[in-house]
């Protein structure tokens, strides 16, 4: 990828593809039929027990829609079940016995993945995990859309010199 046309978005997508693709391949090599995007949902359910999609989204820090899509995929794969909540609109997500049986192997895989991530961090000029944390915090303080609007306004303003 040429750096002259590489944008922030394309670099982030490339990084995610490089990481997620290899993590998914590692799951497959370990005999696990698992997608990386399922892990935050599982970890949340392991901690909270059966809970609403809304609560999972809040715990993970992503949109309700994103969690709903992931839970739908997990349901199709037989990894979770949906049960009605106290409110007619609320759906409670619960693990299936199939997923519960996978947890020890998944935990071993997560430990290996975390060790590999620590090795990667050690090879970089700044730990990727720290930079990502800083970027997320900065974007929570001032959304990227606001930054784009300010930059566009500055570029459109007549030169004051």
């Amino acid at each position: 990828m040429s750096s002259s046309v590489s944008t922030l978005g394309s670099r982030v997508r490339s990084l995610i593809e490089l990481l997620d693709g290899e993590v998914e391949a590692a799951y497959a090599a370990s005999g696990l039929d698992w997608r990386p995007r399922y892990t935050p949902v599982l970890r949340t359910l392991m901690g909270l027990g059966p809970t609403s999609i809304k609560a999972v989204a809040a715990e993970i820090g992503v949109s309700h829609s994103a969690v709903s899509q992931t839970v739908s995929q997990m349901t199709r794969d037989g990894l979770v079940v949906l049960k009605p909540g106290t409110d007619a609109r609320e759906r409670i997500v619960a693990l299936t016995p199939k997923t519960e049986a996978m947890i020890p192997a998944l935990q071993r895989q997560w430990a290996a993945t975390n060790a590999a991530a620590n090795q990667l961090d050690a090879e970089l000029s700044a730990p990727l995990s720290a930079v990502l944390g800083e970027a997320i915090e900065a974007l929570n303080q001032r959304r990227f859309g606001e930054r784009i609007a300010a930059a566009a306004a500055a570029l459109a303003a007549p030169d004051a010199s």
Side-chain angles (χ1 to χ4, degrees):
M1 176 183 301
S2 170
S3 62
S4 64
V5 295
S6 179
T7 63
L8 177 61
S10 62
R11 286 181 177 204
V12 169
R13 278 186 290 283
S14 178
L15 178 63
I16 289 170
E17 287 176 15
L18 289 168
L19 294 173
D20 271 2
E22 295 295 323
V23 171
E24 193 161 351
Y27 284 130
S30 295
L32 295 165
D33 185 15
W34 193 257
R35 298 182 64 188
R37 72 181 293 165
Y38 296 168
T39 299
V41 174
L42 173 57
R43 286 180 177 260
T44 299
L45 294 173
M46 287 170 61
L48 300 178
T51 193
S52 69
I53 291 175
K54 180 179 179 180
V56 173
E59 185 75 17
I60 296 171
V62 299
S63 71
H64 182 281
S65 175
V67 171
S68 184
Q69 290 174 13
T70 300
V71 165
S72 290
Q73 290 176 334
M74 292 177 79
T75 300
R76 282 192 300 273
D77 290 346
L79 301 169
V80 296
V81 293
L82 291 171
K83 302 174 181 180
T86 55
D87 179 336
R89 297 168 294 166
E90 183 180 59
R91 296 180 300 160
I92 303 299
V93 186
L95 299 176
T96 63
K98 172 184 176 179
T99 307
E100 289 175 357
M102 294 172 68
I103 289 174
L106 288 167
Q107 288 176 319
R108 286 189 299 275
Q109 196 61 43
W110 297 338
T113 301
N114 287 336
N118 290 337
Q119 291 172 357
L120 175 62
D121 275 352
E123 294 175 25
L124 304 175
S125 60
L128 180 60
S129 56
V131 173
L132 291 173
E134 290 174 17
I136 290 166
E137 181 60 31
L139 292 169
N140 282 331
Q141 295 298 318
R142 185 172 177 217
R143 290 182 23 242
F144 200 56
E146 294 173 29
R147 296 167 189 269
I148 293 169
L155 290 170
D159 189 9
S161 54

